[in-house]
Structure formats: structure tokens, C-alpha cells
Amino acid sequence: MEHLETFTEETRAWLEENCPAGMRRPMRREEDAVWGGRNYKFHGEDQRLWLERMAGRGWTVPTWAKEYGGGGLTPEEAKILKRELKRIGARPALVSFGIWMLGPALLKYGSETHKKEHLPRIARGEIRWCQGYSEPNAGSDLASLQTKAEDKGDHFLINGQKVWTSYADKSDWIFCLVRTDPKAPKHEGISFLLFDMASKGVSTKPIRLISGSSPFCETFFDDVKVPKENLVGELNKGWAIAKYLLTHEREMIGASGIERLPGSDLGATAAEVIGTKSGTLRNHLLRADIVRHEMDWAAFLLTLERARDEAKAGAGTGAVSSMLKYIGTELNKERAELLMAINGLQGLLWENEEDPEPPLSRQWLRSKGNSIEGGTSEIQLDIIAKRVLRLPQGN
Amino acid sequence: MALVISQEHDLLRDAAKGFLAEHAPVSALRTLRDSDDPFGYDPALWQRMTEMGWAGILVPEKYGGLDFGIVGAGLLMEEMGRTLSASPFFSTAIMAATLLKEVGREAQKKRLLPQIAAGKAVVALALDEGRSHDPGGIKLAAKPSGNGFVLNGEKTFVLDGHLADQVIVAARTGGKAGTKSGLSLFLIETDRAGLEFRRRTMVDSRNVADITFAEVKVDGDQLMGKLDEAYEPLEKALDVGRACLSSEMLGTASEAFERTLEYLRERKQFGVPIGSFQVLQHRAAHLFSEIEMLRSVVLKTLLSLQASDASSSFLASLAKAKAAQVVGLATSEAIQMHGGIGMTDEFDIGFFIKRAKVASETYGDYYFHADRFARIKGY
């Protein structure tokens, strides 16, 4: 205990000294998130300094081992760090799919060479990763993917197309599911490959969404050569890695709404916008919907907290990520609908010169994708029914 | 405060599970109902529960109790919610013990708490006066007279009222009906002149009574706590009760759900188990998610009450409202997915929806607590 108290004091002092003032304000714009990567342009010196200092301590990935660029912190220490960061309202020094998704998969399935090569560069924000999973004919039925990797002796030759690749146009490397055995049953012929997006034959095309933004791309592979040593795990055993990584993606998407939407307290937002009379919101029907939602939201946050605490105590249920993804994204959509109701036509502005944040209308439209990306709500319910409830499987 | 159940509490739960399965399964409630039992619970079973220490789970050690805390009491309620076990545990070991601890005079505590812990006294809380929960709306009047008070009025749906040895009565000693100030609590023996009890038969086959107070004389030292200032301690005790009821409803929802899952695996139509149909799988998976959310809320609320956190009343309302929603869904879906057999009295699932509905109404329904939740949050 004494050690943790010392750690708390030291952490607090270090953050006080090293977290730039500009990094202690809430994130409001897209460019407030630092994604890193070869071609990344920081928006201001504070962003650069904050990443450099945090990465220097290994605190962009506090629980990873020091040899992989991490901070080597115990879960208790990491919890303290998180609390202290929150206390001063610090922004994340780095957000990245490398940290959230590829990192955990490499730690579990990667060779020592893979870990040493890739993890420290993820931790320092030097390489930005994207995820090559979905294809035009492999969405919910992901395992039917057709992008093929042919064995050419010292390398694989990749041909095919991915879609919904988040930020492919801005990424340096891709972790990619490819078919290495077209004759095997669909789950047993898939491999997990890493390769450089600057390789010859890789091209990307952004997809414009109904919200006006383009966070996703179509990604094309035309005779792309990938060295054999870039295979993670065994040949044709990539599906297990893919599934493991998806559980991390689900948790990330399920939890992401917490930061994503404005008006973290819908009741307070509504009270401010619509007004109250004798302590209750003027619009009684809307109030009833808001309170029902807010209670579910509170229950969801507590469930996230319990899932994390149980995982730490070694008592977690594995398939819980599907539940969190399902509830979190459905609630996030509902939250966006309620925010729209609170704001009326004001919320439907497509451009708003008076507010630096993206207009609510775009956030509302974007939220509709939450329950599709990373496995639809229907797929999550399938997973719960099968893996948690052990219900009999139909045809 | 980690949101996990400690090993100590796990052991208590396991012991409770084993005990209730053996001595108080759902069939015991059916027997009680069908035998028109005058008590509405089995005194021998209550004696056994007492021997396990349950009656004194919230009673301080110096008054002969276990002082095991609210989390433990909640876990027992959860298990009782699974087996629908009827006993004076909630009225006496939770509500009365909590109020006595909070505002009882030393003489009242000394006399009654050891009796509660020993299972020798049933103590009921006479609170509401209408069809729905409304602690602010109390009208029953206690007028000063000599060195005591005279009580006149009505109480409705008093849990375990007709078989209690003592009642804790919430009465108005000042202020107007609908206001929070001017409420006081009195501890009264049930054989006092002027008291009339009428047992009402409820859908869950448990015991409640309407009580008429006609010129009931009580002594000044029967007052519990401060004159006119009972509202706050009463709300605090009610929050403990609401959390424990939510825990019971979590147990009822979980059990109804598990029985339904079992049925989905076994029941065949069109040549396959009906649980292989996606439309039922998705409803089951959704219900599972709802029950897991309730589980988190209940645990947080119990832990928070045990630590006397300031956020407890907000959490208690969250728990009670969410529990009403979830147990309502779980028991309704249980009947629908069981099909025709779910509608028969012969099959046990009906007992679950009946108890769930009474527990949902007790000490505030969904609407009461949703409103309270919003008001605490300032809208």
C-alpha cells in the first residue's frame, strides 16, 4: 500500500510538471485526437510534447512490458495513472488501433521478433495501423472473406479488396485477414498478415458517409508482395487471432460513446435547453424518455466497470464484450436521438459557424453506424445466444 | 470499491443457495398458498433461518446479531428471490432492524433487537395509506395527549402486518399531508387497544394487512427518534429496503430466465428445439444483457449503502426502477416462451410473475423511482 501511495504522489507530480496546459482541455474537434504515424502532422506543439513525454515513460501503453515500449505498470498502478490523468482532465497522448487492437493480439499471438519490431513503434506513435477485415462480400459473414494470399516461396502474393478499412488512407501498416487455403472450410483457411501500406500494389479510396465524413476506405490489393515472416501465428490459423482481436474492438466501440457524444448528462442538457418548472423538465413526455435512457446509461457504465473489475479479479465471463458492444452502441444511438429531440431544428444544422464541434446532425448520423461496425447488434446477439447462453444452433 | 463480490459473500450465497433449495423451494410457497395458512409463512422455516443467523444479519453484535452488512442481506434476498421463499426476513430483519438501529431509543433497541435476531419477534412497518407508495403523503395523525400521543387513521398493505408482534408506525405530528416535515415514528405493540387488523390476500400469496387506528394511546417513550423529523431516517431505511427488494427481483429475474433457457433447449417444435430459432435467441440474449445490467446496478447500490455513500438514494432509485423493468420483462418473456404451459397454475413460472409484480410495487414502482432519479439529477 505504501508503494502505491508513493506511486500516486510521484505520478501526480510528474503529470503536473509534464502535461502541457493545452492538453488539459476537453477534446472537441477531430484534430484534437493524436493518431501518430509516419506522415502525422501535430496540431500544435503541445500535442507533440505530450506524446513525446508520455511515450518516453511508456505511459501510452502503461501495462505493456518496458522492452515493448510500455510502462511495465501493474494493474493497480495503471488504475492510479488513469485516475490521475482524469483528475487533471488530460487528453490521451495517443489514440490508435495499434494500442487497442493489434497490440493485445501481438502480445498473445506474435513471435518475439514481431513484438520487438512492432510494439515499441506503436507505443511511440510512429506507425499508424489499420484493420483489413471486411470485404464487399464478407460483412457479418466475415469468415467468407476472399482476399487471397498465394505462397510464392519467399513471399505471399496478395490480391483482393477490403472495405470499411478505418483510416486506410492515413495508415502506414495494415493487419489483414487473407485466405491462404481456398479449399479448406471457411474458418480454417484464413491467415493473419502484417504489411506496409506503402507496398507496391496497395491503393485506397475514401468512402463518404451520410454524416459527410470519410473515416472509412475501400482498400485494393493488386499483386502486393508480403514477406513470409510477416505472418502472425500459424498458417491457416488466423481466425482465432481475428476473433480475439474482435473482442477488443467490440469493447472499444461499446465504450467509445462515453467520450463521443456531447451532453454527457442528458438531463442537465435538456434542463438548460428546454427549461424546468417546479424542478422538472417542461416537456414531460421527453423527460420520461430521457430518464429511462439515463438509467440505462448509468446501468451500462456500471456494467463496464464491473466487467473490468471482474476481469482483474480473474472472474470475468469471456463473451461479455459482445454484450457491452450491443448495449453500448444501441444506447449511443438512442442518446443521439434524444439529443436531437432536445435541440430541435438547431440540431439539424449541417454547418455551424458558431460552434467548433461537429454539428449534432452529423454526430447523430454517424451514430447509426455504431451498431453496424465491428459486428452488427444482430451478430452480437447471435454470439451471446451461442457462446454465453449455449442455446442450440439451427442450420 | 471494486464491483466484485467478495469471497466471504460468495460463501454466504452458497450456503443460502443450498439451504433454500432444501428447505424453501418454490413448492413450499405453493403449499402455503393451497393450505390457506394463517401465517403466510412457515414458522419452523423462519426458526431455521434464524439459526443460520439471517434474522440478525443487520443487527449489531452487541444486541445479539451478526452485523454482516447490507451486501450480505442483499445476497440473501437475491437467493430468496430465486426460490420465492416467504418469511418475515424483509419486514423484520431488514426494515425494522434498520429503523431501530437508526432511530430507536436505547431501551427500544435493547428490548427488541435481540428478539429480532433470535427470531422471536416479527416487527412490521406501517407506512403507506393508499394504493401506491407515497411516504410524503402520510395523514395518520398523532396528537399530543398527556405525556403521550393519541393515534387516529388508516394504514394499508402493511407487510406482515396481521402477524406482527410490534409495528413501527409513521404518523403525522405536524405539517400538512404531502410535506416532508412533521413526520414521526412510533413503536407500538399490536395488542394495544384501538388497533384493528385486516389481512388482505395478495397475488403473491404473502401477508399484508390494513390497519385501523382508533384512539390508540401511546406513551411518549414509544416515539422513535426525533419528533417531526422522521422523514430523512425513514427515506434512508427505505433505500436499504429498496436495494434489498431490487436484489430479490434480480434473483427472481435470473431464476425465471434460467428456467426459460432450459425450456428453450428442451422443447421441440417443427422437429427442432425452439431455442434454435433466431427470433427467440435474440430475445433471450437481449434479456440476458438487461439482467446483467441490473446485476451491476444492484451490486453497486448495496456496496454504496454499506459504505454510507452520499449517492445511495440516487442509486437505490436507479436499482428499484431498473429492477422493476427487468423483472417485468423476464417474467413476461418467461410466460410467452413457455407458451400455453406457462399460463397454467400447475406450472411454477406463474409464481415468479406474481411475486415480481408485488416486489415492483413495494416501496415505489418504476414511475416513482424514475421520477425520483430525475429530480435528484435536477430535471
Side-chain angles (χ1 to χ4, degrees):
Chain A
M1 286 320 274
E2 200 179 315
H3 155 72
L4 289 181
E5 276 163 35
T6 317
F7 179 80
T8 306
E9 278 169 33
E10 285 172 5
T11 303
R12 192 172 289 190
W14 188 87
L15 290 175
E16 207 44 67
E17 178 82 22
N18 288 284
C19 181
M23 294 292 101
R24 300 187 193 194
R25 287 194 284 270
M27 311 217 302
R28 304 187 70 189
R29 278 165 284 218
E30 215 153 300
E31 64 253 36
D32 290 343
V34 175
W35 288 87
R38 281 175 197 148
N39 306 314
Y40 191 71
K41 288 193 181 53
F42 291 100
H43 295 87
E45 177 64 6
D46 281 355
Q47 283 191 349
R48 196 193 59 78
L49 263 181
W50 182 223
L51 173 56
E52 182 182 279
R53 288 170 180 171
M54 285 291 277
R57 298 213 116 194
W59 282 3
T60 52
V61 282
T63 56
W64 292 9
K66 283 189 173 169
E67 55 187 314
Y68 304 138
L73 300 190
T74 63
E76 291 79 25
E77 290 168 338
K79 200 170 176 177
I80 291 170
L81 172 61
K82 198 174 164 192
R83 199 181 62 209
E84 290 303 316
L85 284 164
K86 197 177 165 194
R87 201 179 62 83
I88 60 167
R91 293 179 184 175
L94 178 65
V95 297
S96 111
F97 298 143
I99 294 177
W100 298 325
M101 299 196 284
L102 178 62
L106 278 186
L107 283 168
K108 191 172 162 83
Y109 293 98
S111 68
E112 199 52 34
T113 318
H114 286 145
K115 291 183 199 173
K116 288 242 167 71
E117 183 187 350
H118 297 295
L119 293 177
R121 295 199 285 166
I122 288 172
R124 292 193 297 265
E126 290 168 7
I127 294 294
R128 182 169 180 176
W129 286 85
C130 60
Q131 178 192 39
Y133 270 39
S134 295
E135 296 180 6
N137 291 314
S140 286
D141 183 14
L142 180 63
S144 69
L145 58 93
Q146 294 300 327
T147 292
K148 63 178 177 186
E150 291 166 276
D151 192 333
K152 296 285 179 187
D154 65 334
H155 68 270
F156 292 110
L157 193 66
I158 320 291
N159 278 290
Q161 185 196 338
K162 295 288 173 182
V163 72
W164 306 120
T165 329
S166 304
Y167 306 114
D169 52 338
K170 299 182 175 75
S171 296
D172 307 311
W173 276 64
I174 187 168
F175 48 95
C176 194
L177 295 179
V178 292
R179 186 152 304 282
T180 36
D181 184 351
K183 293 195 191 86
K186 64 179 180 180
H187 293 95
E188 289 159 32
I190 294 170
S191 298
F192 192 95
L193 278 187
L194 311 175
F195 55 92
D196 196 324
M197 289 290 280
S199 309
K200 191 166 171 279
V202 178
S203 58
T204 62
K205 188 178 159 213
I207 303 166
R208 186 174 159 89
L209 298 184
I210 52 175
S211 59
S213 68
S214 303
F216 303 107
C217 291
E218 292 177 286
T219 306
F220 304 92
F221 308 122
D222 183 14
D223 282 340
V224 180
K225 284 184 186 173
V226 174
K228 278 282 188 60
E229 58 265 29
N230 289 14
L231 173 73
V232 178
E234 286 177 53
L235 191 71
N236 297 326
K237 298 276 171 66
W239 186 245
I241 308 175
K243 277 196 301 182
Y244 178 75
L245 198 143
L246 279 176
T247 62
H248 285 271
E249 184 184 18
R250 273 179 223 133
E251 278 172 36
M252 182 185 88
I253 295 171
S256 67
I258 301 161
E259 262 93 20
R260 186 173 289 167
L261 284 175
S264 61
D265 185 335
L266 273 190
T269 306
E272 202 186 308
V273 175
I274 296 169
T276 56
K277 192 181 173 188
S278 316
T280 64
L281 205 63
R282 281 177 181 278
N283 185 334
H284 290 181
L285 293 176
L286 180 56
R287 177 178 185 254
D289 282 354
I290 289 176
V291 65
R292 189 181 41 72
H293 173 84
E294 285 290 278
M295 290 193 297
D296 278 341
W297 189 256
F300 168 64
L301 293 184
L302 288 171
T303 305
L304 267 183
E305 188 182 333
R306 181 165 69 91
R308 282 171 193 161
D309 287 347
E310 282 180 353
K312 268 180 222 151
T317 46
V320 79
S321 68
S322 286
M323 180 184 81
L324 295 175
K325 204 271 173 183
Y326 165 62
I327 306 172
T329 56
E330 291 298 329
L331 285 176
N332 207 44
K333 286 195 298 183
E334 190 175 273
R335 197 171 191 76
E337 288 292 346
L338 288 168
L339 273 169
M340 295 301 284
I342 291 167
N343 285 285
L345 283 171
Q346 175 80 15
L348 284 161
L349 284 170
W350 183 250
E351 307 281 356
N352 186 3
E353 313 73 37
E354 292 152 27
D355 196 334
E357 283 184 48
L360 195 55
S361 63
R362 298 183 185 223
Q363 300 184 51
W364 160 69
L365 288 164
R366 179 65 188 83
S367 75
K368 298 298 176 197
N370 293 163
S371 52
I372 301 169
E373 57 206 315
T376 61
S377 284
E378 290 72 20
I379 287 288
Q380 305 311 326
L381 291 171
D382 277 349
I383 294 174
I384 296 169
K386 183 175 166 191
R387 301 217 196 112
V388 185
L389 306 181
R390 307 269 166 210
L391 285 172
Q393 292 306 294
N395 27 21
Chain B
M1 185 166 65
L3 270 187
V4 284
I5 290 176
S6 70
Q7 211 172 11
E8 187 188 25
H9 286 122
D10 258 341
L11 288 173
L12 177 75
R13 183 208 289 280
D14 287 347
K17 212 181 262 299
F19 175 88
L20 291 168
E22 188 182 339
H23 299 288
V26 180
S27 58
L29 179 67
R30 179 185 291 278
T31 307
L32 276 176
R33 182 196 68 174
D34 293 346
S35 62
D36 276 329
D37 184 276
F39 284 99
Y41 74 95
D42 176 2
L45 170 69
W46 179 229
Q47 214 44 54
R48 283 210 189 94
M49 288 181 175
T50 300
E51 283 156 23
M52 304 275 287
W54 295 1
I57 193 156
L58 293 181
V59 175
E61 283 177 30
K62 71 167 174 171
Y63 300 113
L66 280 186
D67 205 7
F68 204 75
I70 297 165
V71 177
L75 286 182
L76 290 184
M77 286 289 286
E78 187 185 336
E79 291 308 315
M80 293 177 192
R82 281 181 173 273
T83 49
L84 306 175
S85 310
S87 81
F89 180 75
F90 180 69
S91 66
T92 302
I94 290 180
M95 292 311 297
T98 300
L99 277 168
L100 276 164
K101 260 198 314 191
E102 288 290 327
V103 292
R105 287 159 188 267
E106 191 48 41
Q108 292 168 331
K109 289 189 207 177
K110 257 191 191 153
R111 182 163 45 88
L112 207 47
L113 283 174
Q115 286 188 44
I116 288 178
K120 294 205 165 74
V122 171
V123 185
L125 171 62
L127 175 71
D128 285 313
E129 300 174 5
R131 58 186 69 201
S132 293
H133 182 56
D134 180 17
I138 287 165
K139 289 192 203 126
L140 186 139
K143 295 254 156 60
S145 164
N147 69 343
F149 296 84
V150 177
L151 276 58
N152 279 292
E154 308 266 346
K155 291 290 178 186
T156 52
F157 304 109
V158 177
L159 193 55
D160 292 336
H162 84 289
L163 49 88
D165 304 291
Q166 309 255 341
V167 276
I168 296 171
V169 183
R172 193 158 284 286
T173 43
K176 270 190 266 175
T179 57
K180 292 177 180 178
S181 64
L183 292 183
S184 303
L185 294 170
F186 296 92
L187 180 64
I188 305 175
E189 323 80 85
T190 46
D191 54 8
R192 210 53 33 158
L195 280 175
E196 199 184 297
F197 295 83
R198 182 160 73 109
R199 181 179 178 182
R200 308 299 305 271
T201 307
M202 300 293 282
V203 71
D204 67 344
S205 311
R206 299 213 188 169
N207 284 298
V208 296
D210 290 347
I211 311 178
T212 308
F213 291 71
E215 298 293 317
V216 177
K217 293 187 176 63
V218 300
D219 302 329
D221 63 4
Q222 288 181 281
L223 177 71
M224 293 172 73
K226 290 186 186 142
L227 191 70
D228 290 341
E229 291 178 23
Y231 189 82
E232 208 176 303
L234 188 59
E235 274 289 277
K236 221 170 135 185
L238 283 171
D239 280 339
V240 171
R242 289 158 179 160
C244 287
L245 283 168
S246 305
S247 197
E248 181 194 350
M249 287 145 86
L250 169 64
T252 304
S254 306
E255 181 70 21
F257 179 58
E258 284 161 29
R259 287 176 181 226
T260 305
L261 281 180
E262 214 37 58
Y263 190 75
L264 291 178
R265 291 187 194 105
E266 283 166 10
R267 168 74 174 170
K268 284 191 175 167
Q269 287 289 274
F270 307 102
V272 292
I274 58 172
S276 65
F277 299 138
Q278 198 177 37
V279 69
L280 294 181
Q281 289 187 345
H282 282 196
R283 276 160 63 180
H286 173 74
L287 185 50
F288 168 79
S289 306
E290 288 285 323
I291 292 172
E292 286 306 301
M293 286 211 282
L294 175 60
R295 196 178 304 286
S296 316
V297 171
V298 167
L299 181 58
K300 176 72 177 185
T301 307
L302 293 171
L303 286 166
S304 159
L305 280 163
Q306 185 147 303
S308 304
D309 280 354
S311 57
S312 296
S313 30
F314 155 73
L315 284 168
S317 276
L318 170 61
K320 191 69 176 42
K322 191 72 200 159
Q325 255 184 349
V326 174
V327 83
L329 181 66
T331 50
S332 295
E333 287 285 68
I335 291 182
Q336 178 66 22
M337 294 191 195
H338 277 90
I341 199 171
M343 283 298 292
T344 62
D345 182 66
E346 190 190 343
F347 200 71
D348 280 344
I349 209 76
F351 283 93
F352 287 82
I353 197 168
K354 290 173 179 172
R355 174 58 198 157
K357 202 62 171 171
V358 177
S360 295
E361 279 294 328
T362 306
Y363 298 159
D365 66 359
Y366 170 82
Y367 299 99
F368 179 95
H369 286 291
D371 178 68
R372 186 169 178 250
F373 176 98
R375 282 177 193 275
I376 292 172
K377 285 285 188 176
Y379 63 100

